């Protein structure tokens, strides 16, 4: 029997476009159409040129997303600013849209953004489970990190300690958290950090539990403890 090749990781352009799409749909669902101008303002603060680069690349990769709908509403022509990495761009786009929504709608805005990140994370976790199933593996803790959907660039520095039903993970460098700190956007970025890893884990396996007790934004490192009581997962 021919062994299957692992599925390639998603590009950060696709991941960023998917994150924005969840933000846009959830904010509109929970707050209403009146939130659209604030989402648009967040994109404008981020930069129309960089947003168009993300949109075009994600579309080329076959990703359905909502970012282009906003770009079409203001089709200005600008040169693409190539400064920064796509990791920094994802952090900045998230923070700029979140800032506009939270500054306008307060706790309701925060709740909408958190829910968007939760949905985005669970969708990614389900995708990781499918990646494991593609290779014939169940969605157990042993097959979580090895089938992760996002490639780890040299911009991340981390250590993983794996035991039978636990993972301890420490990040000493994270381009998302570092960008939010550098930009003074930690109060908005933390809404992503608090939700994303527990959501991805739950999407992968509903028995997965995640404790995230330190954050780059606050303590300078991110520390996680992943645990799963059940030893047997399921093949999708």
């Amino acid at each position: 029997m021919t062994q299957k090749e692992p599925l390639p990781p998603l590009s950060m352009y696709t991941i960023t476009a998917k994150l924005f799409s969840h933000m846009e749909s959830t904010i509109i669902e929970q707050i209403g159409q009146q939130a659209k101008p604030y989402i648009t303002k967040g994109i404008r603060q981020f930069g129309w040129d960089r947003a168009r680069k993300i949109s075009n690349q994600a579309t080329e990769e076959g990703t359905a997303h909502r970012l282009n709908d906003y770009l079409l509403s203001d089709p200005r022509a600008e040169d693409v600013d190539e400064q920064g990495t796509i990791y920094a761009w994802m952090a900045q786009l998230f923070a700029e849209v979140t800032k506009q929504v939270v500054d306008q709608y307060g706790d309701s805005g925060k709740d909408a953004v958190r829910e968007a990140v939760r949905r985005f994370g669970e969708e990614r976790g389900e995708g990781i489970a499918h990646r494991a199933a593609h290779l014939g593996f169940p969605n157990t803790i042993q097959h979580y990190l090895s089938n992760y959907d996002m490639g780890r660039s040299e911009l991340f520095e981390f250590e993983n300690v794996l035991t039978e039903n636990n993972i301890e993970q420490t990040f000493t460098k994270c381009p998302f958290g570092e960008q939010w700190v550098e930009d003074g956007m930690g109060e908005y970025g933390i809404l992503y950090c608090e939700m994303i890893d527990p959501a991805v884990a739950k999407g992968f396996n509903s028995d997965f539990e995640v404790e995230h007790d330190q954050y780059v934004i606050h303590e300078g490192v991110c520390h996680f403890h992943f645990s799963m009581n059940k030893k047997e997962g399921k093949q999708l």
Side-chain angles (χ1 to χ4, degrees):
M1 184 175 181
T2 304
Q3 185 175 2
K4 291 184 177 180
E5 291 293 322
L7 297 174
L10 299 176
S11 85
M12 283 304 301
Y13 292 95
T14 283
I15 288 175
T16 302
K18 285 179 176 288
L19 172 60
F20 174 83
S21 296
H22 277 285
M23 293 179 71
E24 194 271 350
S25 62
T26 307
I27 290 167
I28 298 302
E29 173 191 308
Q30 296 202 355
I31 295 177
Q33 294 292 324
Q34 65 269 26
K36 276 194 169 184
Y38 300 100
I39 297 173
T40 302
K41 186 176 180 181
I43 299 170
R44 187 173 294 116
Q45 292 294 112
F46 167 68
W48 231 249
D49 47 4
R50 294 188 296 172
R52 184 171 289 107
K53 175 69 179 286
I54 293 168
S55 175
N56 290 345
Q57 184 63 35
T59 300
E60 185 176 318
E61 292 168 3
T63 306
H65 62 88
R66 301 295 302 275
L67 185 55
N68 197 50
D69 295 346
Y70 285 77
L71 298 175
L72 290 173
S73 70
D74 192 350
R76 64 187 69 186
E78 298 179 13
D79 293 330
V80 174
D81 177 7
E82 297 288 356
Q83 297 299 313
T85 69
I86 182 56
Y87 296 91
W89 289 5
M90 179 176 137
Q92 291 173 323
L93 178 60
F94 175 86
E96 293 292 357
V97 172
T98 297
K99 181 181 189 314
Q100 297 304 321
V101 173
V102 169
D103 287 1
Q104 179 65 25
Y105 297 106
D107 288 342
S108 295
K110 290 181 180 179
D111 290 343
V113 171
R114 289 190 186 102
E115 176 61 13
V117 177
R118 186 193 68 79
R119 294 178 185 182
F120 166 69
E122 289 198 358
E123 179 184 276
R124 284 182 55 196
E126 291 167 3
I128 296 168
H130 281 288
R131 286 168 178 271
H134 168 76
L135 298 176
F137 298 130
N139 60 336
T140 56
I141 197 167
Q142 292 82 4
H143 301 294
Y144 179 63
L145 294 180
S146 59
N147 291 283
Y148 207 67
D149 63 337
M150 186 176 78
R152 299 295 195 196
S153 83
E154 69 281 358
L155 297 173
F156 294 90
E157 289 184 1
F158 58 96
E159 179 183 25
N160 297 324
V161 178
L162 284 72
T163 55
E164 185 178 9
N165 290 303
N166 296 274
I167 302 170
E168 185 174 7
Q169 191 174 54
T170 304
F171 281 81
T172 52
K173 286 186 66 178
C174 169
F176 305 134
E178 291 168 355
Q179 191 65 51
W180 289 321
V181 170
E182 180 180 332
D183 293 342
M185 291 291 221
E187 66 180 292
Y188 307 106
I190 197 67
L191 301 178
Y192 182 89
C193 297
E194 289 173 341
M195 299 299 296
I196 187 60
D197 286 278
V200 174
K202 284 292 183 186
F204 178 75
N205 187 314
S206 60
D207 293 316
F208 223 158
E209 299 292 338
V210 180
E211 180 184 5
H212 189 175
D213 56 7
Q214 290 181 293
Y215 298 87
V216 166
I217 289 173
H218 291 156
E219 288 86 14
V221 299
C222 269
H223 179 263
F224 304 87
H225 181 251
F226 299 78
S227 61
M228 189 182 293
N229 292 325
K230 292 185 178 180
K231 296 182 180 180
E232 295 185 0
K234 62 181 179 180
Q235 289 181 316
L236 304 181

